[in-house]
Amino acid sequence: MADDRQARVLEARLKLRERWLAKMKASPSMSDDRPRGTGPANRHGMPRLPEGQHQTKNWPVLDLSGPPKVDTSSWQLTIDGAVETPLLLDWKSFNALPQTEDTSDFHCVTTWSLMDSKWGGVSFADLAAMVHPLASATHVMTYAYDGYTTNLPLEEALKDDVLLVTSWNGQPLPKEHGGPVRVITPQLYAWKGAKWVKRIEFLTANKLGFWETRGYSNTAHPWRDDRYS
Ligand SMILES: Nc1nc2c(c(=O)[nH]1)N[C@H]1C(S)=C(S)[C@@H](COP(=O)(O)O)O[C@H]1N2
Ligand SMILES: [Mo]
């Protein structure tokens, strides 16, 4: 990765963050002064284990219908909608982008939490910076190869720990967990992260995804026990 490209992405990312900072600060994971849970604070000031969650050692698999037929040779990601410069990436071009590593926790609405996973991939904020969202963009819909969809407000999607991951604890992301590429949303319940991600569409109004149309919370904040609507 050329340093100047990395610098350009970083600059665009910081500008986009600046535009969204007020809204990000008003989001539950940054404004909640009474987060519910137990254990020492995580780096966002939230108790490590949200209320109603228990720790799991093994990572359960949860999805609608199992892995779709997609691998590194056929995988493509489209980023489009309310953006200035839509983008189509394949596996090779995705891996040539600036890479981010992060360690975070994974909270499933069905009450298990997987702690301290080490993730590698590309941050959503970097991808968003590259497509130049229109001023009117407020949300994104993520689409997956199995037909799954889930929506996110931009102020959540732009958080530093929202990544499109290709590795987990130093290994390629297992197929059953969304490999080759999935989204993770550590500050929201895990259904907000699409496995086998195929498309990210920027929206100018909120739209509901698969579980959100079926009674799951639109906001999905684990430290408010915000599971269903
Ligand atoms: N493409 C796709 N992504 C998905 C789902 C799905 O059915 N299809 N299920 C969601 C739900 S409900 C959860 S809890 C997490 C589970 O991720 P895991 O199977 O890796 O634990 O993936 C989310 N992402
Ligand atoms: Mo879930």
Side-chain angles (χ1 to χ4, degrees):
M1 174 58 42
D3 283 352
D4 58 330
R5 182 169 185 198
Q6 185 118 25
R8 276 204 309 278
V9 171
L10 188 65
E11 197 194 323
R13 175 181 171 157
L14 291 176
K15 269 197 194 141
L16 185 63
R17 185 186 167 83
E18 195 58 36
R19 236 167 82 192
W20 279 87
L21 206 53
K23 267 201 161 174
M24 289 167 81
K25 281 189 174 148
S27 65
S29 51
M30 287 176 82
S31 69
D32 195 344
D33 57 2
R34 292 189 174 214
R36 297 193 251 153
T38 52
N42 66 19
R43 72 176 189 271
H44 310 292
M46 301 288 138
R48 208 50 210 288
L49 196 65
E51 179 172 271
Q53 296 294 111
H54 66 272
Q55 281 191 49
T56 177
K57 279 228 165 63
N58 297 315
W59 188 7
V61 173
L62 271 176
D63 53 52
L64 298 173
S65 47
K69 276 204 182 78
V70 63
D71 59 17
T72 55
S73 65
S74 57
W75 179 82
Q76 290 193 321
L77 174 67
T78 301
I79 311 180
D80 63 359
V83 301
E84 276 173 36
T85 52
L87 194 60
L88 176 65
L89 296 162
D90 63 10
W91 177 248
K92 194 170 165 221
S93 48
F94 186 81
N95 284 283
L97 298 175
Q99 300 289 308
T100 299
E101 279 201 345
D102 194 33
T103 298
S104 64
D105 303 335
F106 188 96
H107 305 296
C108 176
V109 70
T110 62
T111 76
W112 54 264
S113 291
L114 179 73
M115 314 304 271
D116 284 319
S117 287
K118 195 174 141 200
W119 307 99
V122 177
S123 85
F124 177 91
D126 282 350
L127 290 166
M130 283 182 265
V131 296
H132 304 286
L134 301 182
S136 55
T138 55
H139 293 77
V140 291
M141 185 68 81
T142 54
Y143 300 82
Y145 278 90
D146 63 344
Y148 186 76
T149 56
T150 185
N151 59 305
L152 286 168
L154 261 181
E155 61 268 28
E156 291 293 348
L158 289 170
K159 301 253 166 92
D160 280 345
D161 52 5
V162 175
L163 309 180
L164 276 73
V165 298
T166 53
S167 75
W168 177 66
N169 290 341
Q171 300 295 323
L173 180 69
K175 193 182 180 73
E176 65 270 24
H177 288 298
V181 188
R182 81 170 297 162
V183 183
I184 57 159
T185 58
Q187 300 181 60
L188 300 176
Y189 287 119
W191 88 77
K192 290 290 184 182
K195 295 156 71 159
W196 315 293
V197 62
K198 177 186 186 177
R199 178 181 174 206
I200 298 173
E201 181 191 16
F202 282 72
L203 304 171
T204 56
N206 194 23
K207 248 175 33 183
L208 302 180
F210 181 87
W211 283 117
E212 293 84 7
T213 58
R214 289 164 175 81
Y216 277 48
S217 164
N218 189 39
T219 41
H221 184 48
W223 292 271
R224 288 181 178 171
D225 208 1
D226 172 24
R227 297 169 198 265
Y228 309 102
S229 59

